[in-house]
Amino acid sequence: MNVLIIGAGEVGRNIAATLSSENYNVYLVEQDEDAAKRADEELDARVITGNGARPQVLNQVFSEVADNDDGVIDIMIACTNKDEVNMLACWIANSAGIKHIISRARNLEFTDSPDWAKKFGIELMISPERSLAREILSLLTVSSAIHTAELLNGLAALYAFKVEANSPFVGKNLMTIRQENPNLLAVFVYIQHENGEALVPNGLSKISENDICYVVTFKETTFLLEEKFNPEIKNIRSLKKIFIVGGGKLGSQIAAAIKRDSGRVQLRLIEKDPLKCLKLSQELGEALVLNADGADKNLLFEEGIDQADGYVCATDSDELNLIYSGLAKTMGVKKSIAVVRQKLYQDLTQYLPITIVDPNEALASSILRVVHYSGHSRALSIIKTINAEMLELEIPKDSALLGHTIADLKIPKGVLIALMQRNDKVMLPTGFTVLMAGDYLILFASSELMPQAVEFFNSKVPASNPDSNTQGSSDEI
């Protein structure tokens, strides 16, 4: 399969490296000569230096693909930092007959309505700022979570929690935990032990202090679950005060998400540019916009940083975000988050008491899941930390699995069904749950196993199969 990528920044190189390692034929267009040279040296891809929004450049790629007997470009991904370049590249690709087109969009007017995408033949238009804002809000709300990803349009979520020494889970296996907590609707999908061992657990898997547990749960039981991992967090239910540093696209998106979803939280947005401050103050209403430095200790203490629930540093500088977030944590903020784009800094969380989020990784993951699982528009996130994926998959009407209980299925080892949605009901499936046409399953598996899992659950039989009309049910909420 031939893939054309426009833009050799962090996102473009990440996608190109992943796809070339999976034997895709990757063509990469980059206008900056230094960036193109770096990509050519580092990647197993054909790198073309030029402007991806120019017809001459893209026609050169199309001709080269045809001359190499590779046929045509199957997928085009436009992921530069400039929306205009991405839009024009998509329009040219659509005119050339490329069937699958994916684009990055930073300006929200492009993603507020699907009409823009349709007009340019774009299958998926992604705003990393918008999706990352939701992730950061979730990390702030569930303060002890290390990682989070929304599921089923926000009805449920995946969380990663560290097991504290006083957790009632310590020393118990999952079967015992389920028996002792019948109202705790949660599925443990992955466990990382302190010694480096990791596994997809079963009922006999035991929880130990300092384990990192990846758990799928419903939003209404999230806080109960959090208290089980860290009893000291009990009775903390709502955000009261949040600091945001950086009034760019991401910072303003985070502020808007907090205002929309967190009620009466006291919001402090700090920005150095006075013109941005004026614009933000008009957009954010009751939020306090401060024209200042995000590391001004006197200002932060005056505004109550030591009593704040969260501090998010989202400037354009990774280094600044790391330093400022670290300083805020030493000043007493409950949770400090740094937006970091360069892979070089991703492992610093083991040395700094902060949480790092990467917008480039979030964008690359969103794009890769579409490439890998085309047709699954409700597909979910790739969790690079543990090399795992979560995917939402619909059971087709002619599935060979209809009428069978989950216990009867020979599901590949290492693949879990975390959740199920049937019509408007969301449930935790059990071994007795019978699969029906139209069920949506949330699958969890390693990146290596997920293609096998998709093939398994997409297996089909002729429509006349007598089992195809069997009905089933499960515990619903």
Side-chain angles (χ1 to χ4, degrees):
M1 184 176 288
N2 301 307
V3 180
L4 170 60
I5 300 171
I6 310 298
E10 288 283 344
V11 176
R13 291 200 309 275
N14 185 334
I15 296 169
T18 301
L19 294 181
S20 61
S21 69
E22 297 171 355
N23 296 319
Y24 286 81
N25 298 318
V26 177
Y27 295 80
L28 183 60
V29 174
E30 170 56 50
Q31 184 173 11
D32 183 84
E33 292 185 2
D34 291 337
K37 182 179 179 182
R38 177 184 175 187
D40 194 37
E41 292 172 349
E42 294 179 355
L43 301 171
D44 182 17
R46 170 72 173 98
V47 179
I48 296 95
T49 304
N51 186 341
R54 294 188 64 188
Q56 298 93 322
V57 174
L58 295 187
N59 285 333
Q60 176 188 339
V61 179
F62 300 152
S63 298
E64 186 171 325
V65 173
D67 291 342
N68 291 337
D69 295 326
D70 290 329
V72 297
I73 295 293
D74 299 287
I75 302 171
M76 195 203 76
I77 302 164
C79 55
T80 75
N81 288 322
K82 297 180 179 179
D83 288 348
E84 293 77 10
V85 172
N86 294 338
M87 296 298 102
L88 189 49
C90 291
W91 179 78
I92 297 170
N94 183 50
S95 301
I98 295 177
K99 293 182 178 179
H100 301 289
I101 301 173
I102 303 167
S103 179
R104 174 184 189 173
R106 301 197 69 192
N107 290 320
L108 299 181
E109 58 262 30
F110 290 122
T111 53
D112 283 336
S113 169
D115 292 342
W116 282 103
K118 291 179 181 178
K119 289 178 181 178
F120 286 86
I122 299 170
E123 181 176 341
L124 180 67
M125 187 176 287
I126 306 169
S127 168
E129 287 80 13
R130 178 168 282 171
S131 59
L132 195 65
R134 290 196 300 267
E135 179 183 347
I136 288 173
L137 177 58
S138 186
L139 286 169
L140 290 170
T141 305
V142 188
S143 60
S144 62
I146 299 170
H147 176 88
T148 179
E150 281 192 349
L151 309 176
L152 297 173
N153 297 319
L155 293 174
L158 168 75
Y159 295 101
F161 292 108
K162 181 180 179 182
V163 182
E164 301 297 336
N166 57 347
S167 168
F169 290 165
V170 173
K172 298 176 181 177
N173 64 37
L174 298 187
M175 187 179 298
T176 301
I177 290 172
R178 183 70 177 269
Q179 292 170 349
E180 293 180 352
N181 301 273
N183 296 323
L184 189 62
L185 301 175
V187 178
F188 288 69
V189 296
Y190 195 82
I191 299 174
Q192 281 182 307
H193 294 307
E194 190 176 19
N195 63 6
E197 182 185 354
L199 71 154
V200 175
N202 57 39
L204 299 179
S205 300
K206 186 176 289 187
I207 303 297
S208 302
E209 179 185 347
N210 293 326
D211 281 352
I212 303 296
C213 296
Y214 288 76
V215 188
V216 172
T217 189
F218 299 99
K219 282 296 182 73
E220 57 264 38
T221 60
T222 299
F223 293 111
L224 175 61
L225 178 67
E226 185 179 25
E227 289 171 12
K228 295 294 184 179
F229 285 101
N230 183 5
E232 293 182 3
I233 204 110
K234 191 173 183 179
N235 297 324
I236 298 174
R237 286 291 179 271
S238 61
L239 299 175
K240 296 179 181 179
K241 182 178 289 186
I242 299 292
F243 287 76
I244 299 171
V245 180
K249 294 183 185 299
L250 180 56
S252 61
Q253 271 294 296
I254 298 167
I258 291 172
K259 275 180 57 64
R260 182 179 63 250
D261 298 338
S262 298
R264 299 180 179 179
V265 62
Q266 298 178 45
L267 187 59
R268 305 287 188 265
L269 195 151
I270 303 174
E271 167 59 48
K272 281 187 174 183
D273 186 334
L275 294 178
K276 282 186 179 180
C277 287
L278 179 61
K279 182 175 181 290
L280 290 165
S281 65
Q282 295 170 345
E283 293 176 352
L284 297 176
E286 296 179 0
L288 180 60
V289 180
L290 302 168
N291 182 206
D293 190 312
D296 185 332
K297 286 189 174 183
N298 292 331
L299 173 70
L300 293 175
F301 275 123
E302 285 176 6
E303 295 297 333
I305 187 67
D306 54 327
Q307 300 297 318
D309 299 293
Y311 176 100
V312 182
C313 202
T315 75
D316 291 332
S317 168
D318 287 356
E319 294 80 6
L320 205 65
N321 295 344
L322 287 165
I323 294 170
Y324 280 21
S325 297
L327 287 172
K329 188 62 180 176
T330 65
M331 297 169 71
V333 70
K334 186 186 301 179
K335 187 156 192 170
S336 195
I337 299 174
V339 176
V340 176
R341 299 165 179 84
Q342 297 184 60
K343 290 183 179 180
L344 176 66
Y345 301 131
Q346 296 301 315
D347 295 330
L348 288 180
T349 49
Q350 58 185 310
Y351 307 109
L352 296 171
I354 64 173
T355 299
I356 289 177
V357 294
D358 180 1
N360 288 336
E361 181 177 317
L363 177 61
S365 295
S366 298
I367 292 172
L368 285 169
R369 77 187 186 205
V370 177
V371 174
H372 289 149
Y373 309 112
S374 180
H376 296 282
S377 59
R378 298 173 69 180
L380 301 169
S381 60
I382 296 172
I383 312 163
K384 276 201 167 184
T385 309
I386 57 175
N387 192 32
E389 301 180 9
M390 297 198 74
L391 184 73
E392 189 170 338
L393 183 145
E394 183 179 9
I395 299 296
K397 294 180 180 179
D398 54 354
S399 171
L401 309 181
L402 296 182
H404 295 280
T405 65
I406 291 176
D408 289 337
L409 302 178
K410 295 182 179 179
I411 299 174
K413 186 177 180 181
V415 178
L416 292 179
I417 303 176
L419 284 179
M420 175 187 289
Q421 182 177 9
R422 177 171 293 159
N423 299 320
D424 59 346
K425 303 288 187 180
V426 179
M427 62 189 80
L428 282 176
T430 69
F432 299 105
T433 301
V434 179
L435 294 184
M436 298 171 58
D439 285 345
Y440 279 96
L441 307 181
I442 301 293
L443 303 182
F444 177 92
S446 68
S447 297
E448 290 79 12
L449 276 178
M450 187 59 82
Q452 182 182 348
V454 171
E455 183 179 355
F456 176 84
F457 283 98
N458 277 335
S459 58
K460 299 178 180 180
V461 295
S464 59
N465 187 332
D467 290 333
S468 62
N469 292 318
T470 305
Q471 302 292 305
S473 62
S474 180
D475 299 325
E476 299 180 353
I477 68 164

